[in-house]
C-alpha cells in the first residue's frame, strides 16, 4: 500500500523556501527546516531528499513563482523606460518594506553563497538555476529597452542587450544593498540616475 502523506508538500516547501531565503543555505541546517515545518526528518527526506535537494527545490520555486512572472510583465509592458522604472521602483519597495523587507533576493543571495558550496555537483546545479534566471532577467530588460528604443526614449548608440546586462547588475546591487540596510530613497535615486543616463540629452 502506498505511503499516504499527512502534510502538504507545497506548504512545506514554501516554508522551507522562506527559511533559506532569510537565512541562506549555509546558516540553515536540516534541524531548522524540521522546526519550521513541524515535519520529521524522515518525512522531509522521503519527500524532498537531503538538505541540498530541498535548497534546489526552494530556489527553483522562488524563480518560478516570484521572478519569472515579474520578468514576463516587464517584457510585455509597452511603455519602454517607464516600465523599467516601475520594475526597479517595485523592486526597491519589495526589498525595503513589507513582510520580506531586508531579506534581499533569494537568487542574489545564492550568487553570494555559491562560493561557499564545496560539492562540485551542488555548484553545477545551483549555478544552472542562477544562469537561467540571469538570462531571463536580461531577456526581459532587453525587450523593454528595445521597446524604449522604438519609442525614441534611448540615447543614440544605446544597445539594448548590453544595457540590459548593466541594468541586471544594478538589480543585483539593489538586492544586496537592501539586505544590508540601504535606504530606499537612496536606492531609488541611484536607479533614477542610471535610467536618466540612457535618455537622449536635451539641449
Amino acid at each position: 500500500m502506498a505511503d499516504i502523506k499527512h502534510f502538504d508538500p507545497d506548504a512545506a516547501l514554501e516554508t522551507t523556501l522562506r527559511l533559506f531565503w532569510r537565512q541562506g543555505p549555509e546558516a540553515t541546517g536540516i534541524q531548522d527546516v524540521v522546526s519550521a515545518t513541524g515535519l520529521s526528518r524522515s518525512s522531509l527526506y522521503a519527500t524532498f531528499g537531503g538538505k541540498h535537494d530541498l535548497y534546489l527545490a526552494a530556489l527553483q520555486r522562488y524563480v518560478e513563482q516570484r521572478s519569472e512572472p515579474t520578468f514576463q510583465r516587464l517584457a510585455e509592458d509597452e511603455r519602454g523606460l517607464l516600465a523599467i522604472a516601475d520594475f526597479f521602483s517595485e523592486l526597491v519597495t519589495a526589498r525595503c518594506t513589507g513582510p520580506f523587507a531586508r531579506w534581499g533576493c533569494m537568487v542574489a543571495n545564492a550568487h553570494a553563497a555559491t562560493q561557499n558550496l564545496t560539492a562540485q555537483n551542488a555548484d553545477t546545479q545551483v549555478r544552472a538555476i542562477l544562469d537561467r534566471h540571469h538570462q531571463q532577467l536580461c531577456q526581459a530588460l532587453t525587450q523593454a529597452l528595445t521597446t524604449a528604443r522604438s519609442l525614441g526614449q534611448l540615447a543614440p548608440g544605446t544597445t539594448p542587450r548590453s544595457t540590459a546586462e548593466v541594468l541586471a547588475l544594478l538589480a543585483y546591487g539593489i538586492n544586496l544593498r537592501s539586505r544590508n540596510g540601504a535606504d530606499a530613497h537612496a536606492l531609488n535615486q541611484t536607479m533614477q540616475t542610471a535610467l536618466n543616463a540612457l535618455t537622449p540629452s536635451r539641449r
Side-chain angles (χ1 to χ4, degrees):
M1 185 175 179
D3 181 39
I4 299 176
K5 291 183 174 62
H6 298 286
F7 67 93
D8 182 352
D10 190 68
L13 184 57
E14 177 62 24
T15 298
T16 303
L17 180 157
R18 297 184 184 198
L19 192 63
F20 280 125
W21 181 5
R22 186 176 71 251
Q23 298 183 176
E26 288 297 298
T28 303
I30 197 64
Q31 184 57 47
D32 296 315
V33 179
V34 168
S35 298
T37 61
L39 302 178
S40 66
R41 288 174 180 251
S42 60
S43 293
L44 286 171
Y45 290 141
T47 303
F48 301 107
K51 172 185 167 179
H52 179 244
D53 298 307
L54 264 170
Y55 179 62
L56 285 175
L59 185 60
Q60 185 61 44
R61 178 186 176 90
Y62 181 94
V63 171
E64 292 175 353
Q65 296 195 358
R66 288 174 167 81
S67 300
E68 290 178 354
T70 302
F71 298 163
Q72 183 174 353
R73 287 196 300 271
L74 175 59
E76 294 175 351
D77 196 314
E78 298 181 350
R79 296 177 298 146
L81 283 183
L82 287 176
I84 296 174
D86 281 352
F87 167 80
F88 277 102
S89 178
E90 291 169 6
L91 178 65
V92 172
T93 298
R95 297 296 175 250
C96 296
T97 62
F100 309 118
R102 308 304 175 186
W103 288 19
C105 164
M106 189 174 181
V107 172
N109 298 346
H111 275 289
T114 50
Q115 61 183 342
N116 297 322
L117 296 175
T118 56
Q120 183 60 42
N121 187 47
D123 278 348
T124 300
Q125 291 175 291
V126 171
R127 288 180 191 279
I129 295 174
L130 301 186
D131 287 345
R132 285 197 301 273
H133 176 276
H134 181 73
Q135 291 168 5
Q136 291 168 338
L137 171 58
C138 287
Q139 287 169 359
L141 287 167
T142 298
Q143 182 58 52
L145 287 163
T146 300
T147 300
R149 183 174 61 183
S150 71
L151 295 173
Q153 298 172 343
L154 297 185
T158 303
T159 306
R161 179 63 194 184
S162 58
T163 304
E165 290 281 351
V166 174
L167 292 180
L169 292 179
L170 175 61
Y172 295 139
I174 288 173
N175 286 321
L176 292 174
R177 290 282 296 133
S178 66
R179 186 173 175 86
N180 289 326
D183 177 68
H185 178 69
L187 294 173
N188 276 317
Q189 281 191 318
T190 300
M191 173 271 292
Q192 195 58 59
T193 299
L195 295 186
N196 288 343
L198 302 179
T199 61
S201 60
R202 295 179 176 83
R203 297 182 179 180

